[in-house]
């Protein structure tokens, strides 16, 4: 473990994060390798999450990510907090085993509120598994039919909770898309070779992936992202102590894996982050991302699509699509100079190429 002194500035921290996130130069050439390196990538907005991957891999397209998902090279499940995430097949098992107990605890009061006791959830899992054994891949609405036939009520949010319960049990995960509809499949049908990790080995691995891909970050950041208790977060850092560098900045302690890299990013470095991007949401404390004037404007909400300039939020953007046309509306929060304005347009063109659409851009 090495210790850097106060010479690491906020700007230095941001440069490390941009590089480690793959936003300022990356060696990845396919979606599954990136997702594996990052552990998982938040994906409740499927279209946005595809761009979260494409934004980090030059030349990748929306179709490339869609194909990887349909082929099962990427799976989608509620593996952290609980929120939809992309995760690689070999990692889904050990990661769920590590994180599911705390997610189940979070769901306990909801299950009680909606009369989903252990016996009923067990019966629901049996119905879902049997249906998928017979039909392989089914949508949520198709599975709802089987549950209703078994006299299991699926009104209110009960269906979502029952599906989540089967995911957390390691029984089901995403199947192929059927047109614009998502399907579920048995995990055993979608997962081939597995990485077998548990206990300290799992804690070591999840910490290593987080701090390599998202550091510098604090223990509170890591605990927030992973859903681990602070005790387990501290243990994970201790287990990775030989690989981690400790940095004290202000009154906070940050951890990361120091990497040798060249400063290759353009000036100004501009990124159009999708909603729920890991660069924004992987941290409990987001002061490095949000200048005070921006935080006041956004109310600290970083779930929207963001214009990020030199690592900090400078505005928001909104996408609309129609057939082969793409329209992006930009809403700057801080003024752009001529160079910044041109950089935003260049990145917008990169997104249009990713989406294979002709772009129109409005400020």
């Amino acid at each position: 473990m090495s210790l850097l002194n106060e010479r690491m500035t906020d700007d230095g921290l941001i440069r490390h994060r941009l590089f480690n996130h793959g936003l300022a130069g990356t060696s990845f050439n396919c979606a599954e390798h990136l997702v594996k390196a990052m552990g998982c990538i938040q994906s409740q907005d499927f279209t946005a999450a595809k761009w979260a991957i494409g934004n980090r891999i030059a030349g990748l397209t929306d179709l490339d990510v869609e194909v990887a998902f349909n082929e099962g090279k990427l799976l989608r499940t509620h593996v952290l907090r609980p929120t939809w995430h992309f995760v690689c097949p070999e990692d889904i098992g050990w990661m769920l085993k590590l994180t599911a107990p705390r997610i189940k605890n979070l769901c306990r009061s909801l299950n009680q509120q909606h009369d989903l006791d252990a016996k009923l959830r067990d019966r629901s899992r049996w119905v879902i598994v049997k249906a998928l054994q017979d039909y392989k891949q089914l949508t949520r609405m198709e599975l709802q039919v089987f549950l209703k036939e078994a006299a299991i009520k699926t009104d209110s949010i009960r269906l979502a909770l029952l599906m989540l319960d089967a995911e957390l049990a390691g029984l089901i995960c995403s199947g192929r898309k059927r047109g614009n509809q998502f399907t579920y499949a048995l995990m055993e049908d979608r997962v081939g070779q597995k990485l077998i990790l548990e206990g300290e080995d799992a804690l070591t691995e999840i910490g290593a992936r987080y701090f390599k891909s998202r550091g510098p970050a604090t223990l509170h950041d890591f605990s927030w992202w992973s859903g681990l208790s602070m005790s387990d977060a501290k243990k994970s850092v201790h287990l990775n102590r030989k690989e981690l560098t400790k940095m004290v900045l202000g009154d906070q302690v940050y951890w990361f894996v120091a990497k040798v890299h060249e400063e290759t990013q353009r000036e100004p470095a501009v990124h159009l982050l999708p909603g729920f991007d890991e660069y924004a949401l992987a941290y409990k404390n987001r002061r490095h991302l949000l200048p005070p004037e921006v935080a006041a404007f956004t109310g600290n909400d970083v779930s929207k699509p963001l214009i990020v300039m030199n690592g900090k939020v400078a505005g928001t953007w909104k996408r609309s699509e129609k057939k082969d046309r793409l329209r992006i509306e930009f809403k700057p929060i801080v003024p752009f100079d001529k160079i910044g304005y041109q950089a935003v347009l260049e990145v917008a063109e990169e997104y249009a190429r990713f989406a294979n659409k002709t772009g129109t851009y409005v400020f």
Side-chain angles (χ1 to χ4, degrees):
M1 181 187 299
S2 60
L3 174 65
L4 298 185
N5 60 30
E6 296 286 347
R7 288 179 296 177
M8 174 66 82
T9 62
D10 279 1
D11 286 344
L13 178 144
I14 286 171
R15 284 195 298 273
H16 275 281
R17 282 189 179 175
L18 286 171
F19 181 81
N20 291 337
H21 270 270
L23 292 168
T26 177
S27 59
F28 299 107
N29 57 14
C30 67
E32 55 267 33
H33 290 167
L34 173 69
V35 172
K36 184 171 182 63
M38 298 191 75
C40 53
I41 290 179
Q42 197 159 326
S43 65
Q44 69 264 50
D45 184 330
F46 186 76
T47 299
K50 287 187 288 183
W51 173 235
I53 294 173
N55 205 11
R56 290 163 165 84
I57 304 177
L60 203 71
T61 68
D62 182 283
L63 180 60
D64 292 331
V65 184
E66 188 99 10
V67 169
F69 176 75
N70 282 330
E71 290 180 349
K73 295 176 181 177
L74 301 177
L75 300 178
R76 193 163 170 256
T77 193
H78 288 80
V79 72
L80 301 181
R81 287 195 297 279
T83 305
W84 286 107
H85 282 77
F86 285 136
V87 61
C88 289
E90 60 268 33
D91 292 321
I92 193 170
W94 71 263
M95 202 172 287
L96 269 175
K97 188 172 183 179
L98 177 66
T99 62
R102 284 179 63 84
I103 299 175
K104 289 177 182 178
N105 285 337
L106 290 173
C107 295
R108 184 175 299 166
S109 61
L110 277 173
N111 286 332
Q112 292 174 344
Q113 181 181 341
H114 294 278
D115 299 320
L116 299 176
D117 59 26
K119 185 176 180 181
L120 186 145
R121 296 198 309 273
D122 184 63
R123 187 158 65 91
S124 170
R125 289 195 294 268
W126 184 89
V127 171
I128 291 168
V129 168
K130 182 65 170 63
L132 291 173
Q133 285 174 338
D134 292 341
Y135 294 94
K136 299 305 179 187
Q137 300 194 13
L138 296 169
T139 67
R140 180 177 291 193
M141 293 301 99
E142 288 168 342
L143 286 165
Q144 183 181 37
V145 173
F146 288 93
L147 290 168
K148 285 184 175 180
E149 288 176 350
I152 297 174
K153 294 181 180 179
T154 56
D155 54 337
S156 186
I157 66 167
R158 286 166 61 99
L159 178 60
L161 289 170
L162 291 173
M163 299 308 299
L164 175 59
D165 176 74
E167 289 179 71
L168 296 176
L171 297 173
I172 65 171
C173 62
S174 59
R176 296 175 62 90
K177 285 184 70 180
R178 191 191 304 157
N180 290 324
Q181 292 187 304
F182 293 93
T183 68
Y184 289 88
L186 292 176
M187 192 181 295
E188 64 183 19
D189 290 341
R190 297 290 274 173
V191 175
Q193 186 175 0
K194 301 177 184 178
L195 185 59
I196 306 299
L197 295 172
E198 55 186 17
E200 290 190 352
D201 290 337
L203 281 177
T204 302
E205 187 67 20
I206 199 170
R209 297 207 200 175
Y210 176 79
F211 289 107
K212 284 179 182 177
S213 62
R214 296 167 178 83
T218 68
L219 275 171
H220 285 281
D221 293 330
F222 176 43
S223 176
W224 147 253
W225 174 83
S226 64
L228 295 175
S229 66
M230 279 298 294
S231 175
D232 279 342
K234 290 178 182 177
K235 188 173 184 179
S236 178
V237 167
H238 178 74
L239 291 167
N240 281 289
R241 62 192 180 280
K242 292 182 180 179
E243 304 297 326
L244 294 179
T245 294
K246 177 182 178 182
M247 178 189 76
V248 179
L249 182 60
D251 60 352
Q252 295 291 318
V253 174
Y254 294 84
W255 303 90
F256 67 112
V257 176
K259 300 177 183 177
V260 178
H261 60 276
E262 298 178 2
E263 297 296 335
T264 57
Q265 65 189 41
R266 58 190 152 194
E267 289 294 337
V270 173
H271 300 91
L272 296 184
L273 297 187
F276 306 103
D277 191 87
E278 292 287 327
Y279 182 74
L281 290 185
Y283 310 96
K284 186 175 179 64
N285 187 334
R286 292 154 188 163
R287 71 175 185 85
H288 303 290
L289 179 71
L290 292 168
E293 65 274 20
V294 174
F297 183 87
T298 64
N300 288 309
D301 181 8
V302 293
S303 64
K304 300 175 182 177
L306 302 172
I307 305 169
V308 172
M309 191 171 291
N310 296 325
K312 297 184 178 182
V313 174
T316 61
W317 61 286
K318 182 170 66 173
R319 175 198 75 234
S320 57
E321 298 182 14
K322 188 174 182 180
K323 295 184 178 179
D324 60 346
R325 304 290 301 181
L326 169 71
R327 176 185 170 92
I328 299 179
E329 297 179 43
F330 300 103
K331 191 171 186 179
I333 298 173
V334 298
F336 294 169
D337 60 18
K338 185 176 180 180
I339 296 175
Y341 174 86
Q342 186 60 37
V344 169
L345 290 178
E346 289 176 4
V347 178
E349 278 295 312
E350 291 177 9
Y351 177 67
R353 285 193 293 271
F354 171 81
N356 192 30
K357 296 180 184 294
T358 302
T360 300
Y361 314 116
V362 180
F363 282 84

